[in-house]
Amino acid sequence: MAKRMQGIMESIQTLCSGDHGNEGFMQDDEDEEEENGVGRLTSWAELLGFGLAVFSEAIAPQLQCFCDRTLGFAVGQGGSREAWIKAVAMAMSLVRKAVKKGWVGALAPAARVMSQALSTASEPITLDIPVPFKAHKVETPSVTVETSAQELTNFFKTMFIMRRMEIAADSLYKSKFIRGFCHLYDGQEAVCVGMEAALNDKDCIITAYRDHCTHLGRGGSVLEVFAELMGRKDGCSLGKGGSMHMYNKKGGFYGGNGIVGAQTPLGAGLAFAQKYLKVEGVTLAMYGDGAANQGQLFEAMNISALWNLPVIYVCENNHYGMGTAEWRSAKSPEYYKRGDYIPGLKVDGMDCLAVKQAVKYAKEYALQNGPMVLEMDTYRYHGHSMSDPGSTYRTRDEISGVRQERDPIERIRKLLLSNNIATVAELKTMEKEAKKEVEDALSKAKESPSPDSDELFTHVYRKGYGAKAYGADRKEVVVKLP
Amino acid sequence: MVRRRFSFGLVSRLSSPIYGRSPCSGGIWTPCLGQKRSFMTAKDLVESEEPEKKVTNRINMFSAINQALHTVLDSDPKSYVFGEDVGFGGVFRCTTALRDKFGRHRVFNTPLCEQAIVGFGIGLASMGNRAIAEIQFADYIFPALDQIVNEAAKYRYRSGNLFNCGGLTVRAPYGAVGHGGHYHSQSPEAFFCHVPGIKVVIPRSPSQAKGLLLASIRDPNPVVFFEPKWLYRLAVEEVPVDDYTLPLSSAEVMRKGSDITLVGWGAQLAIMEEACDEVSKLGISCELIDLRTLIPWDKELVEDSVNKTGRLLVSHEAPVTGGFGAEIAASITNSCFLRLQAPVSRVCGLDTPFPLVFEPFYMPTKNKVSMIQHSKHTNCRISFQSMCG
């Protein structure tokens, strides 16, 4: 049997190289449809599902017959051991005959479809980045970037999910499911999605409080984000952190920090650990244009340059630090130059591909030479947080202007349509699926329970190493910290 | 007839006997997150020389603070207000209309740099100006802790009185707000109470805020002024429109009693007042003291009170271990040991970081306070579970 399977696989391989062979049992017009549909299969799951569907369609009658004869025989004979042995022998002879007759031919269209779809999906597409990079003490990376249909579609899907998630968080806050503070990332999705395309799981990210989408990018799920926002048990930080404190250990996402600028020296420390342990990864320490004026950032830059740490300082410049425009808070709003002795790049942060290119370039640089600063020129549509309408310090025209001209999702949509990677209908389907995914996660998160009241005392110190904590009255209440 | 300092309206006068007054007659009751906190005006029983009839406005705390800042900037041309986002009015509207009236050179925004804000303020003050620095939330004051502790507090001392930064006032909103989470709810007053050389002042109501802020700004020592952010809008009171100051380092007895002394400050006093009302139904008469200035604090008044009652309970939102209640407890135990009939109690926040969803468990609520009051009086032990909620 193994030899037969090997034979079948070899014939698939020869077919993949372009040989058509016996058409098998497929109709001609169906075949054509499959060929046209090739360009639209971009995910592995889809490919496999489609291939199997084709295959099973092709051999369904034969498979039916095969099962009838072999199993029917065995059962008819009473299901005894001898009957089953005879049935297996019969099956093997049937397969031998079928192979001779051309069963293999039925695999041909399926194999061809799959191979063509695969090659198209991962075929490199070369695109030019429209907005050029600006460099400080370093060469600019090339504006020609290689991507693929699969990558672009993933960009679209991920950014759309992020956008829907942030908008859902907005309405959740307004209906008081989320209390406290909620800082939304919509408009800036291209930064984290583009970054993820250039990073792997050996790299670490640490950011400030606008972290919902960064958490998703690092491997978190929408359910975890929603549950954490609502302070429920299923949240990524067990409901104890909230909007500003999302972490993901496996994905190397170190949060989620409330005090601006405080995360940059932490990022330098993470990079030191990576360098020391020879992990071949970099740390991206992200901060905003408001935090760019904090002293801690310059201290971190100094030590990372002194010790050549593989850290990339990513300034997400959305031009407003809460309500203060960048020109009113910074003498030099050219944040990529603020590293002074650290080289920097200014990147169009609304273009996934530009971000990907820049981060790839910076990663190579950081692993060899030390820190680098990337300034992502981006924009947020919402205000600083949910209590900020966002229109007292900027005009609505400005917001809608950016939304029309520079929206990251629209940009990818145009690329997908112009490069014939997807049709309008398919994009709509993807959007619908994304919306459904977000809604499902939302309803599931709403059902999640609040953390137990014991959780108030857990994780203050390491389990078992904590001292006692006195409660409201130091003498009356003693709680041993778990 | 005890003369009251401010008139709270005819209704409150008629409805209250000499010592008690009905709650909520001067305040606004607003439930927040299931946790009821109400602001109640405190009546003053301290004798004063000011005339009873004053022109007052019914305003909330941020407006009172705003009035105080207007007064300061009006009266002293060398005074400046600066901080993050103060230009448009600030995130709590305390600095509204200041920039329009006094100009961008006296009321200006700073970038996001607390250490530099306070350091800059120290420098400005050492040249003889009044520097009023705003830290947006008290949780963010820690980068500036070095400047306050090492520079501001020691300037006069280390220069042998050649220089000083007495004109510095650092204002910061502090305290829980119902949904603040880890970084918008902290009460860091204890860190500053450990520093000789500065003063820490915390008002409990709009009228107190205006008077204390004016006194703090005019005090020739650096002052850290914590404003309870929960009361910014919630606390509404009749506040005199003119320029007046309240004395620093002078505590105030909010209500007289004979069985137990309660000491607190800021927004916690509203909770304690409710607790006092509850236990008074059981016949326990409580003396409630607002400390107002935490360092240097009015030891004599608290000692007199404890010598009268024999029991002390201190309550604050900050975690109990190392909170300022510890200093009060140790001090009073030292001076009033033979008079004390029960150990000093502290009903405070728990020894955890300020939690997000667990805030109602963390906070020293009315029930916790009244339980301990009761236990103090009847000396019975109470379990933690029965205290929560």
Side-chain angles (χ1 to χ4, degrees):
Chain A
M1 194 67 185
K3 249 196 198 168
R4 298 280 174 244
M5 284 309 299
Q6 201 181 0
I8 291 174
M9 292 314 293
E10 274 167 15
S11 48
I12 290 177
Q13 277 172 3
T14 53
L15 290 166
C16 285
S17 61
D19 238 352
H20 282 227
N22 198 340
E23 289 296 78
F25 309 98
M26 297 291 289
Q27 305 285 328
D28 273 330
D29 46 353
E30 271 179 334
D31 205 0
E32 260 179 81
E33 227 179 356
E34 256 53 67
E35 290 208 31
N36 288 337
V38 152
R40 300 166 201 180
L41 298 173
T42 50
S43 81
W44 276 103
E46 276 176 332
L47 283 171
L48 196 60
F50 184 71
L52 283 174
V54 166
F55 179 63
S56 55
E57 257 184 47
I59 64 161
Q62 282 67 34
L63 199 58
Q64 185 75 35
C65 175
F66 177 84
C67 290
D68 283 343
R69 288 172 69 173
T70 50
L71 294 175
F73 174 80
V75 170
Q77 290 286 314
S80 63
R81 194 165 165 267
E82 290 76 16
W84 276 110
I85 292 172
K86 277 192 189 160
V88 166
M90 188 191 284
M92 284 174 73
S93 68
L94 277 175
V95 167
R96 213 176 293 131
K97 280 186 204 164
V99 164
K100 278 189 190 157
K101 275 189 190 166
W103 256 39
V104 175
L107 294 173
R112 199 175 70 245
V113 157
M114 285 174 72
S115 68
Q116 283 185 11
L118 265 176
S119 54
T120 317
S122 52
E123 200 177 83
I125 303 174
T126 327
L127 294 167
D128 273 349
I129 298 170
V131 177
F133 296 106
K134 282 197 202 162
H136 168 74
K137 295 196 176 170
V138 76
E139 305 268 317
T140 56
S142 135
V143 291
T144 317
V145 62
E146 262 197 19
T147 177
S148 66
Q150 193 170 4
E151 193 174 53
L152 289 175
T153 324
N154 277 338
F155 282 169
F156 181 81
K157 277 195 204 153
T158 322
M159 286 204 287
F160 199 81
I161 290 177
M162 288 176 179
R163 180 69 63 92
R164 296 304 320 167
M165 183 178 77
E166 295 296 74
I167 293 175
D170 180 312
S171 52
L172 273 183
Y173 191 90
K174 287 178 179 150
S175 35
K176 301 231 185 240
F177 278 96
I178 301 176
R179 299 293 311 255
F181 299 89
C182 192
H183 306 87
L184 299 177
Y185 200 72
D186 56 328
Q188 294 180 219
E189 299 95 350
V191 175
C192 66
V193 166
M195 264 170 28
E196 289 300 329
L199 299 175
N200 57 30
D201 55 0
K202 291 199 207 128
D203 303 309
C204 302
I205 299 185
I206 187 167
T207 182
Y209 44 79
R210 213 177 286 278
D211 59 347
H212 307 165
C213 300
T214 327
H215 179 256
L216 267 194
R218 282 272 97 183
S221 67
V222 185
L223 168 65
E224 275 176 350
V225 171
F226 279 136
E228 188 61 37
L229 286 174
M230 295 194 276
R232 306 288 175 97
K233 239 193 220 174
D234 290 333
C236 48
S237 309
L238 306 177
K240 292 167 81 163
S243 159
M244 292 197 280
H245 307 289
M246 300 199 175
Y247 297 82
N248 188 312
K249 185 145 189 200
K250 248 195 344 193
F253 180 49
Y254 288 80
N257 296 287
I259 304 293
V260 293
Q263 73 273 14
T264 42
L266 266 77
L270 295 172
F272 184 91
Q274 284 174 318
K275 181 169 178 177
Y276 189 86
L277 298 171
K278 297 196 170 65
V279 166
E280 289 297 312
V282 294
T283 299
L284 278 87
M286 303 172 69
Y287 59 97
D289 46 301
N293 302 312
Q294 276 275 322
Q296 321 185 53
L297 174 62
F298 294 99
E299 292 180 16
M301 282 182 177
N302 183 45
I303 60 176
S304 47
L306 195 59
W307 300 330
N308 283 330
L309 302 178
V311 55
I312 302 171
Y313 292 102
V314 178
C315 176
E316 291 180 285
N317 182 9
N318 54 27
H319 307 287
Y320 295 96
M322 235 163 81
T324 310
E326 55 178 348
W327 55 270
R328 288 201 299 132
S329 70
K331 176 69 181 171
S332 160
E334 294 178 312
Y335 298 103
Y336 67 107
K337 287 189 186 167
R338 295 259 228 137
D340 188 22
Y341 38 80
I342 296 182
L345 271 185
K346 181 164 174 164
V347 186
D348 179 10
M350 306 293 255
D351 183 358
C352 275
L353 296 169
V355 171
K356 175 190 164 192
Q357 181 81 328
V359 173
K360 206 164 113 188
Y361 182 76
K363 181 171 170 172
E364 280 166 27
Y365 184 93
L367 283 172
Q368 283 164 7
N369 302 327
M372 193 167 180
V373 178
L374 292 179
E375 181 189 339
M376 304 285 176
D377 186 355
T378 178
Y379 200 83
R380 55 168 162 81
Y381 300 141
H382 270 91
H384 161 77
S385 71
M386 287 307 301
S387 32
D388 173 21
S391 49
T392 50
Y393 47 86
R394 51 185 189 175
T395 57
R396 288 191 201 277
D397 291 337
E398 183 189 303
I399 307 173
S400 50
V402 174
R403 210 188 266 270
Q404 269 166 13
E405 286 164 37
R406 296 176 64 201
D407 186 61
I409 299 182
E410 292 308 309
R411 189 183 295 232
I412 297 290
R413 191 197 296 267
K414 281 185 202 147
L415 278 177
L416 288 173
L417 292 173
S418 62
N419 284 302
N420 288 323
I421 300 169
T423 62
V424 174
E426 275 152 9
L427 290 177
K428 269 217 167 10
T429 323
M430 282 190 229
E431 285 176 19
K432 258 200 212 154
E433 279 166 12
K435 275 188 203 168
K436 184 157 186 308
E437 189 182 322
V438 169
E439 273 161 20
D440 287 342
L442 180 54
S443 45
K444 225 174 149 193
K446 277 188 185 167
E447 287 161 24
S448 171
S450 279
D452 303 323
S453 36
D454 301 341
E455 287 285 339
L456 173 55
F457 295 105
T458 56
H459 313 303
V460 178
Y461 294 98
R462 173 96 195 271
K463 190 165 181 170
Y465 287 87
K468 295 179 238 184
Y470 291 92
D473 183 313
R474 193 158 171 103
K475 286 171 280 299
E476 298 278 355
V477 175
V478 168
V479 175
K480 191 110 189 283
L481 285 173
Chain B
M1 175 73 177
V2 176
R3 297 179 78 198
R4 288 158 215 246
R5 183 169 288 156
F6 309 120
S7 64
F8 293 111
L10 200 55
V11 172
S12 58
R13 254 233 248 125
L14 286 178
S15 64
S16 61
I18 296 277
Y19 296 124
R21 51 172 289 287
S22 61
C24 302
S25 61
I28 293 205
W29 177 277
T30 305
C32 283
L33 224 201
Q35 206 190 332
K36 291 205 164 69
R37 286 193 80 141
S38 75
F39 165 70
M40 292 186 233
T41 57
K43 61 171 184 18
D44 284 332
L45 292 179
V46 177
E47 296 208 352
S48 73
E49 280 134 28
E50 278 130 316
E52 279 189 22
K53 289 275 182 226
K54 275 175 170 270
V55 180
T56 60
N57 264 336
R58 198 175 167 74
I59 53 175
N60 57 22
M61 191 183 257
F62 73 73
S63 308
I65 291 170
N66 190 236
Q67 276 186 14
L69 293 172
H70 271 276
T71 310
V72 167
L73 290 171
D74 254 332
S75 56
D76 187 350
K78 287 207 305 180
S79 49
Y80 311 87
V81 173
F82 50 92
E84 290 157 24
D85 297 315
V86 299
F88 79 92
V91 284
F92 293 109
R93 304 281 176 271
C94 294
T95 49
T96 334
L98 287 176
R99 187 173 62 181
D100 298 332
K101 192 166 170 197
F102 299 102
R104 283 166 189 271
H105 295 286
R106 291 181 69 193
V107 180
F108 48 91
N109 288 335
T110 57
L112 225 167
C113 42
E114 287 77 19
Q115 190 168 15
I117 292 171
V118 174
F120 171 88
I122 294 170
L124 197 55
S126 62
M127 296 275 285
N129 302 292
R130 287 195 209 284
I132 303 158
E134 177 178 307
I135 301 290
Q136 198 156 72
F137 282 90
D139 313 60
Y140 309 154
I141 206 170
F142 297 108
L145 190 64
D146 172 70
Q147 287 287 337
I148 295 173
V149 169
N150 281 330
E151 306 299 324
K154 299 176 167 75
Y155 212 145
R156 193 191 289 269
Y157 189 87
R158 70 183 184 215
S159 68
N161 207 19
L162 275 179
F163 289 105
N164 69 81
C165 57
L168 175 70
T169 309
V170 178
R171 291 180 38 242
Y174 90 103
V177 74
H179 51 265
H182 308 100
Y183 297 114
H184 296 82
S185 320
Q186 288 178 45
S187 304
E189 71 267 4
F191 293 99
F192 299 95
C193 292
H194 194 52
V195 188
I198 58 171
K199 293 191 177 182
V200 177
V201 179
I202 303 185
R204 67 167 188 272
S205 73
S207 58
Q208 295 285 314
K210 182 173 172 182
L212 287 171
L213 183 58
L214 285 167
S216 305
I217 292 172
R218 289 166 182 165
D219 189 275
N221 292 298
V223 177
V224 180
F225 190 82
F226 285 117
E227 301 158 1
K229 65 170 84 73
W230 200 318
L231 301 181
Y232 272 140
R233 288 177 199 275
L234 193 62
V236 178
E237 196 184 23
E238 298 285 339
V239 177
V241 298
D242 57 352
D243 185 351
Y244 66 97
T245 57
L246 294 170
L248 295 186
S249 296
S250 141
E252 190 177 350
V253 180
M254 284 171 65
R255 66 165 69 180
K256 276 200 185 296
S258 54
D259 292 328
I260 180 171
T261 303
L262 279 83
V263 174
W265 52 86
Q268 189 62 12
L269 284 166
I271 303 284
M272 290 161 85
E273 253 195 301
E274 284 177 48
C276 288
D277 289 335
E278 247 192 43
V279 297
S280 64
K281 294 178 202 147
L282 301 167
I284 300 172
S285 152
C286 307
E287 179 141 312
L288 185 58
I289 296 179
D290 176 12
L291 213 51
R292 297 202 298 192
T293 304
L294 264 63
I295 51 160
W297 61 291
D298 192 352
K299 260 185 227 174
E300 285 80 24
L301 194 129
V302 179
E303 278 169 16
D304 289 341
S305 173
V306 174
N307 281 330
K308 183 174 72 172
T309 61
R311 291 181 168 84
L312 177 63
L313 185 150
V314 186
S315 184
H316 56 72
E317 284 172 20
V320 61
T321 302
F324 193 61
E327 157 65 25
I328 299 174
S331 216
I332 294 296
T333 307
N334 193 36
S335 49
C336 307
F337 182 72
L338 293 175
R339 182 69 188 91
L340 281 171
Q341 297 189 9
V344 175
S345 284
R346 291 177 290 160
V347 184
C348 307
L350 303 173
D351 282 333
T352 66
F354 198 100
L356 185 64
V357 294
F358 299 114
E359 186 170 329
F361 296 113
Y362 170 93
M363 293 290 287
T365 53
K366 171 190 80 166
N367 287 342
K368 287 185 194 174
V369 178
S370 57
M371 285 257 184
I372 297 299
Q373 278 172 302
H374 192 233
S375 84
K376 284 294 118 213
H377 198 68
T378 57
N379 286 325
C380 59
R381 298 188 70 81
I382 304 201
S383 67
F384 182 65
Q385 268 68 39
S386 58
M387 273 193 352
C388 281

